[in-house]
């Protein structure tokens, strides 16, 4: 086996939360009178909440104090969490679950490496609350992707060397973070076009071909 563990990004890899992020940022942008669309939303993939707000405020006609920024981020997060309550185990694609089970059956450790502070809540919503061996997320890091911190922590939590881990990512920032951590990476969806990953997947189950 080429690896001992696999570290999965959550949003856009294990499940799709993009649209909920979009709706929550859109509600905030509308209230602030800032233009926001799906293309700008794509730039927020893998980016932390506060850094996402800064991207949205590029079009804001005014100044916000640090306190006002914190309030705006909280407003977005409250709206986002309200939307996440609609998620259920039906939002976990059968292909994702069967692939995870097959990887685990090969003896691989499975971890999460997500910038989100809502990662554990989302995992609970889709029925994977206790599934992963370890979770490294936005609550245990101080630097967001493309910094490698979230993946290095995941390896540490799994008690594995970074070079024994494969990262699965849908964001360019995440592929860059994996590289900086000294880990191989598999790109899925949006991240394929950056051309920086060790493997490019056309579907989740292709991951099974990357590990041996
Ligand atoms: C993931 C998503 C980003 C999001 C970030 C922080 O990386 O891809 O779009 O901004 O998590 O999410 P949070 O749930 O903490 O606001
Ligand atoms: Mg992602």
């Amino acid at each position: 086996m080429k690896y001992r563990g696999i570290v999965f990004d959550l949003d856009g890899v294990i499940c799709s939360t993009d649209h909920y992020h979009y709706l929550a940022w859109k509600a905030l942008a509308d209230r602030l009178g800032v233009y926001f669309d799906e293309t700008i939303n794509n730039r927020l993939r893998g980016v932390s909440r506060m850094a996402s707000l800064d991207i949205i405020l590029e079009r804001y006609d005014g100044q916000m104090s640090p306190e006002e920024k914190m309030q705006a981020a909280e407003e977005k997060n409250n709206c986002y969490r309200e939307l996440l309550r609609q998620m259920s185990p039906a939002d976990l694609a059968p292909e994702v679950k069967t692939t995870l089970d097959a990887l685990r059956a090969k003896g691989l450790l499975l971890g999460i490496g997500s910038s989100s502070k809502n990662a554990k809540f989302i995992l609970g919503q889709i029925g994977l609350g206790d599934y992963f061996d370890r979770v490294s997320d936005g609550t245990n890091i101080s630097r967001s992707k493309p910094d490698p911190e979230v993946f290095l922590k995941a390896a540490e939590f799994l008690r594995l060397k970074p070079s024994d881990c494969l990262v699965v990512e849908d964001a360019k920032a995440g592929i860059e973070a994996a590289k900086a951590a000294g880990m191989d990476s598999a790109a899925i969806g949006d991240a394929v076009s950056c051309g920086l990953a060790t493997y490019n997947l056309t579907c989740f189950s292709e991951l099974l071909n990357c590990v041996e």
Side-chain angles (χ1 to χ4, degrees), residues 9-13 45-46 169-171:
D9 172 49
L10 177 63
D11 296 292
V13 170
R45 221 179 273 274
E169 258 294 346
D170 74 314

Side-chain angles (χ1 to χ4, degrees), residues 89-100:
D91 291 294
L92 177 65
E95 183 199 9
V96 171
K97 184 61 169 56
T98 49
T99 304
L100 291 172

